[in-house]
Amino acid sequence: QKEVEQNSGPLSVPEGAIASLNCTYSDRGSQSFFWYRQYSGKSPELIMSIYSNGDKEDGRFTAQLNKASQYVSLLIRDSQPSDSATYLCAVNPPGGGNKLTFGTGTQLKVEL
Amino acid sequence: DTGVSQDPRHKITKRGQNVTFRCDPISEHNRLYWYRQTLGQGPEFLTYFQNEAQLEKSRLLSDRFSAERPKGSFSTLEIQRTEQGDSAMYLCASSRRRQGADTQYFGPGTRLTVL
């Protein structure tokens, strides 16, 4: 079992729709969770971090964390073509120091 | 606040050559990380510094790889006797622990191609 799992996609949504990106992780004691956006050929850009169960909203982005289910998600409201990118889920596992373990990313395509 | 910078942005080398990459973290960030990313994969942790001390190194990291952060500011990553399998994007990130959280910000990366 991979430590951090994401559906590789591509996930296609029409412009203006809600995009839902999902991530599961294996280490139950993980405490810190991050979503990064990566455009093709570029480096990861931090979108959101979340540490507590529940929802965290920042503009059009909402991160959701459920530690009991070992599940973290990212919702993007009013999706725009500029949101088309790969979204990486990253977890700071217990006992892992400060390193991040990444999923393989989900490719999102927002279509006109 | 300037971001993390990396140099060079691209490096093409022949198999067997040594290469060195530099990373300058965000000022006042005392933690610095190196990751490697290949096509279709997420970044993979290589090593981590807090100030000048190298606190963790991936078990997957070959002895051909070495990293330094001599004065707790910039860092270098050297790969000796490069192999074609070393071709990847090498990413540097930095962070500063605030209110119990440690958020890493990435530089633009150095893309290495080994011929």
Side-chain angles (χ1 to χ4, degrees), chain B residues 88-99:
Chain B
M89 174 80 90
Y90 289 83
L91 295 162
C92 177
S94 71
S95 72
R96 175 184 173 188
R97 195 168 186 85
R98 289 181 178 174
Q99 297 178 334

Side-chain angles (χ1 to χ4, degrees), chain A residues 48 50 52-58 62-66 73 75:
Chain A
M48 291 194 70
I50 186 167
S52 304
N53 278 329
D55 295 359
K56 179 181 178 183
E57 186 174 321
D58 184 359
T62 299
Q64 300 174 318
L65 175 61
N66 184 325
S73 65
L75 300 179

Side-chain angles (χ1 to χ4, degrees), chain A residues 2 8 32 34 36 38 40-46 49 51 88 92 95-105, chain B residues 9 31 33 35 37 40-45 48 50 56 89 91 97 100-109 111:
Chain A
K2 291 183 180 178
S8 62
S32 306
F34 305 86
Y36 288 85
Q38 188 171 30
S40 181
K42 302 296 185 182
S43 64
E45 172 191 9
L46 179 70
S49 58
Y51 308 102
L88 296 163
N92 180 221
N98 292 290
K99 68 182 180 187
L100 294 178
T101 300
F102 285 83
T104 55
Chain B
R9 296 289 301 276
R31 296 176 174 179
Y33 309 79
Y35 292 84
Q37 187 177 24
Q41 301 298 313
E44 174 191 31
F45 171 78
Y48 150 62
Q50 180 160 305
E56 191 172 351
M89 174 80 90
L91 295 162
R97 195 168 186 85
D102 190 286
T103 302
Q104 297 180 29
Y105 297 90
F106 284 85
R111 184 168 297 281

